[in-house]
């Protein structure tokens, strides 16, 4: 088993530019940090990428963690914790998180285990190979027909989680396109060049409208997407599971979600209790209005968790609106 060693596997080269929300004309407080989107940056070494690629080739990953939907025919989700120890460690290592946090402009952690290294896999299907290999065809998602090249893979959207980091796992020699288009507040579009192998781009995708453009000229295109949220329980959490419920093992997804949301509530209650005690020790009168405001926030937080945990029977598998 390979162990992740930041000295060998982490490059962590700062991007040439991080576009701030204010650079794009947005108010600086519409998200959880001032950043909007980074240019591509080298994150992991080629050796690390090769190990990660080996981990996603395991039969049990394909057997139990493959999902498809109306927007992508081959995704691997929720496999990292049990089947990809190197990948799991890479994304949870304090050095990786310190670096990712420096780009995000706030301390961040993976949104949840289930969202570590979600894989999007597309293979160019030529007419000749279409008939030859059913297994190859089953791995093809986003059509790579020349006609579709200028169209985005998914239209303008925001993500489920505050931050998203897209890591390129494929050799991009000869690949054209694959940019991330980001919309500014006044409707202009800036394009962020697609990352090359081992490189990544980061986006405060929950708050910024964006779309991924198609890539052309590549035989395969494998991207690994890891989502992040603020580490602090006191930061807002607008996570919504809308775009991931239909392509998830709901039990696993919901366990992860419910657990971290409960942990956040615990920490918020603890912080409020300590604050109240400190006021009392100081001899202050009870600030009833302030405490009622806190209770209201907790109720809304619990209601939000409740809304996101849609009963299994009501989730349409494989269909993302
Ligand atoms: Fe997105």
């Amino acid at each position: 088993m390979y162990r992740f060693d930041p000295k060998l596997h982490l490059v962590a080269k700062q991007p040439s530019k991080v576009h701030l929300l204010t650079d794009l004309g947005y108010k600086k407080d519409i998200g959880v940090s001032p950043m909007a989107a980074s240019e591509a940056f080298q994150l992991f070494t080629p050796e690390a990428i090769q190990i990660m690629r080996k981990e996603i080739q395991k039969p049990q990953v394909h057997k139990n963690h493959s999902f498809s939907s109306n927007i992508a025919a081959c995704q691997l989700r929720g496999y990292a914790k049990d089947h990809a120890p190197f990948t799991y460690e890479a994304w949870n290592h304090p050095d990786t998180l310190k670096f990712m946090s420096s780009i995000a402009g706030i301390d961040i952690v993976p949104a949840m285990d289930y969202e570590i290294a979600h894989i999007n896999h597309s293979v160019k299907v030529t007419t000749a190979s279409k008939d030859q290999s059913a297994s190859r065809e089953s791995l093809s998602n986003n059509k790579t027909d020349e006609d579709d090249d200028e169209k985005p893979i998914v239209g303008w959207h925001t993500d489920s989680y505050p931050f998203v980091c897209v890591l390129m796992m494929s050799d991009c020699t000869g690949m054209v396109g694959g940019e991330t288009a980001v919309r500014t507040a006044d409707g202009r579009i800036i394009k962020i060049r697609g990352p090359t192998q081992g490189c990544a781009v980061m986006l405060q995708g929950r708050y910024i409208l964006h779309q991924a453009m198609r890539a052309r000229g590549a035989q395969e295109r494998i991207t690994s997407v890891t989502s992040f949220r603020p580490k602090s329980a006191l930061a807002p959490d607008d996570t919504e599971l809308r775009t991931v419920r239909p392509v998830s093992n709901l039990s696993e997804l919901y366990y992860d979600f419910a657990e971290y949301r409960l942990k956040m509530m615990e920490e918020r209650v603890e912080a409020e209790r300590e604050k109240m005690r400190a006021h009392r020790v100081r001899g202050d009168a009870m600030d009833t209005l302030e405490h009622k405001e806190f209770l209201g926030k907790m109720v809304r937080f619990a209601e939000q968790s409740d809304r996101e945990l849609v009963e299994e029977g009501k989730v349409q598998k494989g269909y993302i609106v």
Side-chain angles (χ1 to χ4, degrees), residues 15 26 49 64 73 87 124 152 180 187 190-191 204 248 266 274:
Y26 293 101
I49 298 296
N64 300 321
T87 303
K124 183 164 188 151
T180 301
I190 63 161
K191 279 190 179 174
Q204 197 169 180
S248 295
E266 257 178 49
E274 275 172 18

Side-chain angles (χ1 to χ4, degrees), residues 10-35:
L10 185 68
V11 181
K13 189 170 184 290
Q14 284 290 337
S16 59
K17 184 171 173 58
V18 175
H19 304 272
L20 301 179
L21 290 168
T22 47
D23 294 337
L24 305 185
Y26 293 101
K27 290 203 176 106
K28 65 174 187 285
D29 57 358
I30 65 158
V32 291
S33 92
M35 81 88 73

Side-chain angles (χ1 to χ4, degrees), residues 4-234:
F4 179 78
D5 178 351
K7 285 195 213 73
L8 296 175
H9 301 125
L10 185 68
V11 181
K13 189 170 184 290
Q14 284 290 337
S16 59
K17 184 171 173 58
V18 175
H19 304 272
L20 301 179
L21 290 168
T22 47
D23 294 337
L24 305 185
Y26 293 101
K27 290 203 176 106
K28 65 174 187 285
D29 57 358
I30 65 158
V32 291
S33 92
M35 81 88 73
S38 78
E39 291 291 334
F41 53 91
Q42 183 84 37
L43 182 57
F44 296 120
T45 62
E47 190 200 354
I49 298 296
Q50 291 319 312
I51 301 169
M52 289 173 176
R53 288 185 59 119
K54 276 203 192 95
E55 287 188 326
I56 56 172
Q57 284 162 9
K58 291 181 182 174
Q60 60 269 49
V61 171
H62 283 265
K63 188 162 170 264
N64 300 321
H65 297 271
S66 286
F67 293 90
S68 60
S69 71
N70 53 318
I71 52 179
C74 182
Q75 301 185 323
L76 302 171
R77 291 179 44 73
Y79 65 89
K81 188 167 183 237
D82 292 336
H83 303 297
F86 180 89
T87 303
Y88 187 74
E89 222 181 326
W91 287 111
N92 280 300
H93 196 283
D95 290 3
T96 310
L97 294 181
K98 193 175 161 200
F99 174 67
M100 299 306 290
S101 298
S102 74
I103 298 174
I106 183 176
D107 280 349
I108 54 172
V109 290
M112 39 184 147
D113 284 344
Y114 202 81
E115 296 297 347
I116 290 178
H118 156 123
I119 296 291
N120 285 318
H121 191 163
S122 70
V123 173
K124 183 164 188 151
V125 181
T126 61
T127 314
S129 67
K130 251 179 200 166
D131 306 324
Q132 285 169 4
S133 168
S135 64
R136 270 179 72 86
E137 203 166 23
S138 73
L139 284 177
S140 74
N141 69 356
N142 320 314
K143 283 187 294 174
T144 49
D145 296 341
E146 300 291 309
D147 292 350
D148 289 343
D149 285 347
E150 295 306 316
K151 292 179 190 163
I153 296 162
V154 186
W156 291 105
H157 68 280
T158 53
D159 297 329
S160 284
Y161 304 100
F163 299 94
V164 68
C165 179
V166 182
L167 169 69
M168 177 53 73
M169 306 281 280
S170 297
D171 178 359
C172 296
T173 310
M175 199 186 284
V176 182
E179 300 95 347
T180 301
V182 173
R183 193 131 83 191
T184 65
D186 59 4
R188 284 178 300 116
I189 290 163
I190 63 161
K191 279 190 179 174
I192 291 170
R193 251 177 72 186
T196 52
Q197 194 170 37
C199 294
V201 293
M202 196 167 175
L203 205 65
Q204 197 169 180
R206 177 70 186 82
Y207 303 99
I208 299 289
L209 271 173
H210 60 277
Q211 60 182 7
M213 308 307 288
R214 284 186 191 283
R216 184 175 40 174
Q219 205 58 36
E220 61 140 48
R221 186 169 188 266
I222 302 175
T223 53
S224 164
V225 182
T226 299
S227 296
F228 292 87
R229 60 182 166 85
K231 186 180 181 187
S232 168
L234 304 181

Side-chain angles (χ1 to χ4, degrees), residues 298-316:
M298 291 303 285
V299 167
R300 287 190 291 280
F301 190 91
E303 283 171 347
Q304 170 72 4
S305 291
D306 180 51
R307 268 197 303 277
E308 293 305 324
L309 297 168
V310 176
E311 297 93 310
E312 282 80 346
K314 292 181 181 167
V315 176
Q316 193 184 349

